[in-house]
Amino acid sequence: MTKVLYNAPGWDAAPWIEHFRTADPSLAVSVSTAPADLAEAAYAVVWRPEAGLLGRCPKLKAIFNLGVGVDSILTDQTIPPAIPLVRVVDPNMTERMTEWIVLQVLTHHRRALRYMEQQRARRWHDVGNQPAASSVAVGLMGLGALGSDAALKLKTLGFKVAGWSRTPRSLPGIETFHGADGLDRFLARTEVLVSILPLTPETRGLIDRRLIAKLKRDGALGGAYVINAGRGGSQVTDDILAALNDGTLAGASLDVFEQEPWPAEHSIWAHPNAVITPHVAADSEPAALARYIAGQIGRHRAGKPLENVVDRVRGY
Ligand code: NDP
Ligand code: OXD
């Protein structure tokens, strides 16, 4: 049996353990953090693990994140740098994220918030200005596993799609920009900004008042919109709220926040042009991710290289 430590504070361990058993019965997955169990763990499967825990597992060969973003693990200085950290790249996760992003883009494009409000007031009124998707410029910050899938599906719906990444990327039918030099040109052509960036020192606080002011406000939609499903640390929520209040932004959809749960007393919850969801854009599904991780452990035991290993210097 191969000993695997499971640590995901706040999550129900039972379905994960059951799906790991189904995916590979030779994996003995345990939640025990007793010193004797930590001493024998060969692999760890974790989501926002207890600080310092992984540093107490001397036989660890690899760490598997049970979600995509690894920012909360990279802050733990006790993890030996030589242990590979693997992130999730799986169609199950990618498709969920694309659903959320497309839902938010269409919500603002088709004025769904206005129509829902009118429905509650039993008001029959065409709010007008229904531009074709082909005249609306959507821009994705982050063209990785998640951003590139959403970009291509938004393109299929007809939107004018562009993407911005750290290094040059090329995707069919998508205008691409990269690096600090490409950012202003990317923002100037973008009406609906979608961020699906990892949280790194470079992306922290990026979506602030100055960046928002650079978005295109005279496009087909007649205003600018911000959608963020990457990490809350990349946005300044108070700046987004101020921009919604003064009209610099016509709408926003936020799934992630600097602090989670986001405080109930913050005014953005009640803003009529904001959609707030509680970090649920793409949930980790135990069956799919246990299959993915068990497959990776199988590769590793067979002497093959692990896939989707995080570059700790780059931070994602
Ligand atoms: P990837 O690592 O595949 O892609 C990251 C993308 O961001 C790459 O295109 C990368 O550029 C770009 N990027 C990173 N740093 C910069 C920078 N400084 N400037 C410009 N571009 C940058 O990640 P995924 O697509 O798999 O996931 C992205 C993030 O989504 C996760 O890190 C996580 O935070 C978030 N997430 C949120 C979920 C939710 O439910 N809200 C669920 C799952 C993920 P390059 O291509 O040049 O490397
Ligand atoms: C994340 C995730 O990285 O839910 O946010 O996977």
Side-chain angles (χ1 to χ4, degrees):
M1 295 293 266
T2 301
K3 302 242 184 206
V4 180
L5 166 70
Y6 170 97
N7 190 259
W11 284 12
D12 179 9
W16 287 96
I17 290 176
E18 188 192 321
H19 286 293
F20 273 110
R21 194 177 297 126
T22 308
D24 182 347
S26 76
L27 300 179
V29 180
S30 163
V31 296
S32 168
T33 56
D37 292 308
L38 297 185
E40 290 307 315
Y43 298 98
V45 296
V46 299
W47 176 248
R48 298 184 175 163
E50 290 164 38
L53 185 71
L54 298 170
R56 305 206 304 272
C57 303
K59 293 193 185 158
L60 219 50
K61 296 181 187 144
I63 300 165
F64 296 90
N65 196 30
L66 293 174
V68 178
V70 289
D71 42 290
S72 65
I73 303 182
L74 292 180
T75 54
D76 187 341
Q77 302 297 328
T78 69
I79 303 172
I83 301 179
L85 168 61
V86 177
R87 67 196 192 91
V88 173
V89 179
D90 188 81
N92 185 286
M93 183 66 100
T94 305
E95 285 158 16
R96 282 155 197 264
M97 179 54 80
T98 293
E99 286 167 10
W100 188 89
I101 290 174
V102 170
L103 172 68
Q104 302 312 321
V105 171
L106 288 176
T107 292
H108 297 296
H109 170 223
R110 296 305 304 261
R111 324 282 182 199
L113 297 181
R114 290 280 301 277
Y115 284 113
M116 283 192 252
E117 195 182 302
Q118 289 187 182
Q119 180 185 340
R120 282 190 290 273
R122 297 169 185 255
R123 181 160 183 244
W124 185 277
H125 169 66
D126 180 345
V127 302
N129 188 13
Q130 195 181 100
S134 58
S135 61
V136 174
V138 179
L140 287 107
M141 295 205 289
L143 282 181
L146 302 180
S148 57
D149 187 71
L152 291 169
K153 296 210 169 118
L154 287 163
K155 176 77 197 161
T156 301
L157 284 174
F159 290 102
K160 288 192 287 186
V161 184
W164 179 71
S165 50
R166 195 176 56 85
T167 57
R169 298 274 158 197
S170 150
L171 282 172
I174 312 285
E175 191 183 2
T176 54
F177 302 81
H178 68 276
D181 292 349
L183 183 58
D184 282 5
R185 281 180 294 123
F186 164 77
L187 296 171
R189 54 75 64 201
T190 294
E191 294 163 77
V192 184
L193 178 71
V194 179
S195 176
I196 185 65
L197 288 168
L199 183 62
T200 70
E202 288 75 39
T203 65
R204 186 174 287 283
L206 184 66
I207 308 167
D208 65 0
R209 186 183 297 267
R210 277 176 313 152
L211 179 143
I212 291 166
K214 292 175 183 170
L215 289 168
K216 184 172 177 64
R217 289 196 294 279
D218 61 356
L221 286 180
Y225 298 80
V226 164
I227 295 172
N228 187 13
R231 276 292 177 270
S234 296
Q235 83 202 14
V236 181
T237 304
D238 284 339
D239 285 5
I240 294 175
L241 178 62
L244 286 168
N245 284 335
D246 70 16
T248 313
L249 279 181
S253 295
L254 307 174
D255 183 59
V256 286
F257 289 86
E258 297 97 311
Q259 179 191 332
E260 294 179 3
W262 187 241
E265 57 278 11
H266 197 277
S267 317
I268 200 156
W269 283 101
H271 200 285
N273 298 333
V275 175
I276 307 296
T277 55
H279 199 143
V280 292
D283 277 350
S284 295
E285 189 189 270
L289 301 196
R291 250 193 326 270
Y292 163 78
I293 293 170
Q296 286 255 35
I297 292 177
R299 286 177 63 85
H300 193 249
R301 286 192 304 201
K304 295 188 187 148
L306 291 165
E307 295 167 330
N308 307 314
V309 175
V310 171
D311 178 334
R312 296 202 196 187
V313 175
R314 210 175 57 168
Y316 64 97

